[in-house]
Amino acid sequence: MQSFIPRVTICASAVLFVLAPALAQQPQHVMVNPSDINWTAAPPSLPKGAQMALLYGDPTKDGVFVMRLKFPANYRIPPHTHSTDEVVTVVSGEVKFGMGATFDPAKTKAIAAGGIVAMPPGTQHFVQNDQETVVQLSSRGPWTIAYVNPADDPRKSQ
């Protein structure tokens, strides 16, 4: 009986040793209230002036993530694409989305708070707004943004 207990302990330790890395990589349960949101500067792939709050996941790694973006009034994102599906929910304010390779304000559709825009990978689109607006972006990482016109890429001017 005494030799049984050490074997059980060794077996349990071995199982935990093997499972620990797998468990560490599992998504974490997240609950976030607006007062919990920590705003930081948006990534350099977006034009200056926007702020970002990462709510879930990691946009630099494979897997689902959710982030909020806060755009100041009169903000614009030139035509661009993403390599994964993107679902954008307008949390507050109003944002105008246009489709295509050329920025044309006349070809935008205003999406009010509560509205969504869903786009498959490779959809050419552009964004503008007149007032401060918060959107929530849900997608799968790694998140990429490729500007239709490489000269529009804000990373080039750094």
Side-chain angles (χ1 to χ4, degrees), residues 33-123:
N33 278 310
S35 61
D36 299 330
I37 294 175
N38 180 32
W39 294 99
T40 62
S45 57
L46 292 174
K48 288 187 182 198
Q51 292 182 301
M52 176 192 109
L54 186 59
L55 303 178
Y56 178 79
D58 184 341
T60 67
K61 296 180 179 163
D62 183 50
V64 173
F65 71 91
V66 178
M67 75 169 131
R68 287 202 180 162
L69 295 166
K70 186 187 299 185
F71 303 138
N74 305 310
Y75 189 75
R76 291 172 53 149
I77 304 175
H80 62 280
T81 63
H82 302 285
S83 60
T84 58
D85 291 286
E86 190 169 74
V87 178
V88 179
T89 304
V90 181
V91 175
S92 66
E94 179 182 85
V95 65
K96 298 173 186 170
F97 279 83
M99 301 297 157
T102 305
F103 195 101
D104 184 352
K107 293 184 178 179
T108 61
K109 179 174 181 169
I111 307 297
I116 72 159
V117 175
M119 295 167 283
T123 302

Side-chain angles (χ1 to χ4, degrees), residues 3-16:
S3 64
F4 175 73
I5 293 173
R7 276 190 249 153
V8 169
T9 304
I10 290 169
C11 288
S13 297
V15 168
L16 287 175

Side-chain angles (χ1 to χ4, degrees), residues 128-142:
Q128 73 174 42
N129 64 308
D130 299 326
Q131 59 185 287
E132 182 178 273
T133 301
V134 175
V135 299
Q136 183 164 296
L137 188 149
S138 302
S139 189
R140 182 165 208 62

Side-chain angles (χ1 to χ4, degrees), residues 8-30:
V8 169
T9 304
I10 290 169
C11 288
S13 297
V15 168
L16 287 175
F17 181 75
V18 171
L19 288 179
L23 293 173
Q25 295 172 9
Q26 294 300 313
Q28 298 299 310
H29 180 81
V30 175

